[in-house]
């Protein structure tokens, strides 16, 4: 990371991990299973005034005013907020991308002028969700019963990122928020951040020349409570989040725009897939070890739960059971239950509990996990188990710990002694106890 990124260590004071999303056969920066339909719609406010919004949705055929996809509904819906002086059409690629992955995205076209009203913009972002709810409830509408009104999300760029926070703080229908170089608006969303009880992800670039992350993203992230994430893109810049950057006074960065968009789209697909579609296969891309494998993205995060084992590496004799004692602590702001999972292991294991009781902030729960070391396997093999605890409040956030069990052979009561050394490699040394003709012990 560049030198300016080191400011975060002092400002936030959290452990820092290099993060992003592992390249897999299922590259989430690529389009999903649907085509994207588009339309321009009219949203009516409670006072009877109207405004236009851009609508992107899953379809079987790409293009304007094509039918909503015939399968896969109800579809989760996300409101998008554009940046200062920006037409939301400048972000068409990202909204199209989310539509191909099964989300309905709606973007207000209001507040594009030189003197935008941020509070009004936040209200309009919320009212785009009202518009989708009304279509979902209208039996004569093609969207009838096909919008997942229980799973609304919101995201925005720059001014729209700040307005999105204002909207999320005022609307309990919104289940997850993501900001792209979110700017502090007027009024500022910072005072309401501690009361925001949804996952918050704040992506930004470390070469942003328009909305400096030290004076915008860092204060907002610090004010937020868990669960929260701050992915800082190395070489990323402000207009790098746009498909068609505004031609007047754009900034630039060392990361190619196509790569910044790919990182952003992969992130948003995983993030909203996890929190709005309950796709548990995405949790590792956001909170798990796969979130630590792509270079070039520095991530700070706080899941609101920690797992501490009595030891993360243990040795077990062939045919024996190795026990780990685990302490789970709720480090979030509210009472929560956590579901427990073990994965990636090959040897048989058993959790002493599958779910915690309700834990108050700061309260811990003790449980055990046992791993059975098989017989008939080589000595010195390691079986790694990924133990995770998932928040029952949002159904997606997890903390995790790796537990590593190494196979050994039992020390016999006499005759053969085996020593196991575990380090860069594994070495087995056998010593046989013998006696000479005078009865003195010798070692062969």
């Amino acid at each position: 990371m560049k030198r300016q990124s080191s400011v975060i260590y002092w400002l936030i004071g959290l452990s820092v991990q290099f993060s992003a999303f592992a390249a897999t056969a299922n590259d989430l920066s690529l389009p999903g299973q649907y085509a994207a339909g588009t339309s321009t719609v009219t949203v009516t406010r409670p006072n009877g005034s109207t405004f236009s919004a851009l609508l992107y949705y899953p379809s079987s055929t790409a293009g304007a005013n094509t039918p909503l996809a015939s399968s896969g509904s109800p579809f989760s819906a996300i409101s998008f907020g554009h940046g200062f002086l920006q037409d939301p059409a400048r972000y068409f690629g990202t909204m199209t991308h989310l539509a191909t992955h099964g989300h309905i995205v709606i973007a207000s076209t209001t507040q594009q002028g030189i003197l935008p009203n941020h509070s009004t913009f936040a209200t309009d972002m919320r009212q785009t969700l009202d518009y989708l709810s009304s279509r979902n409830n209208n039996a004569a509408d093609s969207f009838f019963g096909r919008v997942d009104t229980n799973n609304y999300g919101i995201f925005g760029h720059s001014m729209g990122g700040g307005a999105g926070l204002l909207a999320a703080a005022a609307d309990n229908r919104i289940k997850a928020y993501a900001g792209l170089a979110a700017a502090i608006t007027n009024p500022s969303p910072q005072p309401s951040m501690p009361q925001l009880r949804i996952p918050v992800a704040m992506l930004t670039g470390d070469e942003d020349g328009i909305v400096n992350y030290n004076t915008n993203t860092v204060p907002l992230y610090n004010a937020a409570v868990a669960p929260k994430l701050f992915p800082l893109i190395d070489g990323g810049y402000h207009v790098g989040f746009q498909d068609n950057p505004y031609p007047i006074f754009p900034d630039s960065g060392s990361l190619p725009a196509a790569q910044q968009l790919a990182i952003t789209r992969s992130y948003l697909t995983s993030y909203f897939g996890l929190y709005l579609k309950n796709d548990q296969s995405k949790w590792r891309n956001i909170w798990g070890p796969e979130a630590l494998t792509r270079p070039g993205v520095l991530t700070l995060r706080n899941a609101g739960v920690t797992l501490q084992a009595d030891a993360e590496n243990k040795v077990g004799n062939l045919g024996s059971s190795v026990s780990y004692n685990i302490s789970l602590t709720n480090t979030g702001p509210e009472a929560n239950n956590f579901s427990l999972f073990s994965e990636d292991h090959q040897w048989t294991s058993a959790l002493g509990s599958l779910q915690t009781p309700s834990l108050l902030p700061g309260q811990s729960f003790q449980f055990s996990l046992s791993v059975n070391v098989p017989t008939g396997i080589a000595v010195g093999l390691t079986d790694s188990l990924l133990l995770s605890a998932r928040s029952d409040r949002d159904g997606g956030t997890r903390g995790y710990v790796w537990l590593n069990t190494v196979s050994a052979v039992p020390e016999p009561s006499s005759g053969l002694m085996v020593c196991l050394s575990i380090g860069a490699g594994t070495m087995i040394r056998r010593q046989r106890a013998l006696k000479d003709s005078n009865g003195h012990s010798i070692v062969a």
Side-chain angles (χ1 to χ4, degrees):
M1 297 300 297
K2 295 174 177 54
R3 182 172 298 179
Q4 67 175 23
S5 301
S6 64
V7 177
I8 294 181
Y9 293 87
W10 174 74
L11 286 170
I12 302 179
L14 297 175
S15 63
V16 178
Q17 299 168 306
F18 282 93
S19 166
F21 303 91
T24 65
N26 181 24
D27 186 349
L28 297 178
S29 69
L30 299 177
Q33 62 177 311
Y34 299 100
T38 64
S39 63
T40 301
V41 299
T42 300
V43 178
T44 302
R45 300 185 178 98
N47 64 6
S49 63
T50 63
F51 64 90
S52 295
L54 304 183
L55 186 65
Y56 296 78
Y57 53 89
S59 177
S60 58
T61 306
N65 302 312
T66 57
L68 191 66
S70 58
S71 63
S73 64
F75 297 110
S76 54
I78 310 168
S79 177
F80 173 73
H82 60 77
F84 177 60
L85 295 177
Q86 304 303 301
D87 186 324
R90 295 187 181 279
Y91 309 86
F92 73 91
T94 297
M95 292 189 286
T96 296
H97 182 83
L98 289 170
T100 70
H101 284 273
H103 302 280
I104 298 170
V105 184
I106 187 166
S108 167
T109 64
T110 60
Q111 304 302 320
Q112 295 184 44
I114 193 68
L115 295 173
N117 184 305
H118 298 152
S119 293
T120 300
F121 191 33
T123 301
D124 287 346
M125 292 177 70
R126 296 174 57 200
Q127 287 173 345
T128 60
L129 299 177
D130 294 339
Y131 166 84
L132 292 176
S133 292
S134 67
R135 292 193 65 176
N136 182 72
N137 295 332
N138 183 354
D141 195 289
S142 61
F143 278 39
F144 175 63
R146 306 186 66 193
V147 181
D148 188 352
T149 57
N150 292 319
N151 283 293
Y152 282 153
I154 198 163
F155 77 118
H157 177 234
S158 194
M159 176 185 77
L165 285 169
L166 295 174
D171 197 328
N172 60 15
R173 297 173 301 174
I174 295 171
K175 304 302 183 190
Y177 163 88
L180 311 178
I184 293 180
T185 50
N186 183 20
S188 170
Q190 189 172 349
S192 62
M193 296 296 286
Q195 286 73 51
L196 202 57
R197 295 294 191 261
I198 60 173
V200 170
M202 310 196 73
L203 290 78
T204 192
D206 75 340
E207 295 182 17
D208 193 318
I210 297 175
V211 175
N212 184 279
Y213 70 87
N214 284 316
T215 55
N216 288 266
T217 314
V218 168
L220 292 173
Y221 179 84
N222 281 341
V225 296
K228 59 181 180 177
L229 303 112
F230 178 6
L232 182 64
I233 303 172
D234 188 16
Y237 56 108
H238 198 72
V239 303
F241 289 111
Q242 296 180 295
D243 297 277
N244 181 20
Y246 192 61
I248 301 176
F249 304 120
D251 67 341
S252 62
S254 58
L255 184 69
Q259 291 186 30
Q260 183 168 338
L261 287 172
I263 290 171
T264 302
R265 290 168 185 169
S266 176
Y267 190 102
L268 293 175
T269 302
S270 288
Y271 183 76
F272 286 127
L274 175 64
Y275 286 113
L276 303 185
K277 299 172 75 69
N278 192 33
D279 184 350
Q280 294 300 314
S281 70
K282 303 296 192 296
W283 85 265
R284 294 172 67 147
N285 292 343
I286 302 297
W287 295 105
E290 283 74 11
L292 307 176
T293 57
R294 180 182 291 171
V297 180
L298 182 71
T299 294
L300 296 137
R301 60 187 188 179
N302 183 344
V305 58
T306 61
L307 291 165
Q308 182 68 47
D310 57 349
E312 295 181 8
N313 302 281
K314 291 191 176 185
V315 176
N317 294 329
L318 299 182
S320 71
S321 178
V322 176
S323 181
Y324 294 87
N325 297 311
I326 317 294
S327 178
L328 180 154
T329 303
N330 176 11
T331 58
E334 293 186 310
N336 203 351
N337 301 75
F338 298 90
S339 298
L340 304 173
F341 301 89
S342 62
E343 51 194 286
D344 280 11
H345 56 94
Q346 297 185 11
W347 300 347
T348 302
S349 66
L351 278 164
S353 299
L354 297 179
Q355 189 175 49
T356 73
S358 179
L359 301 176
L360 296 173
Q363 190 173 5
S364 298
F365 174 71
Q366 315 296 323
F367 64 97
S368 64
L369 181 142
S370 62
V371 176
N372 296 322
V373 182
T375 59
I377 63 171
V379 173
L381 294 181
T382 300
D383 188 47
S384 296
L385 182 149
L386 182 65
L387 175 66
S388 65
R390 185 184 70 197
S391 164
D392 288 352
R393 287 189 60 84
D394 60 47
T397 303
R398 297 201 200 190
Y400 74 89
V401 65
W402 283 106
L403 302 176
N404 305 297
T405 308
V406 182
S407 61
V409 296
E411 182 177 330
S413 56
S414 64
L416 183 67
M417 179 178 69
V418 177
C419 298
L420 177 63
S421 175
I422 304 170
T426 301
M427 178 181 71
I428 307 299
R429 184 180 66 193
R430 290 178 172 84
Q431 295 180 326
R432 185 175 300 278
L434 302 174
K435 293 183 179 181
D436 62 17
S437 58
N438 296 318
H440 298 133
S441 295
I442 60 175
V443 176

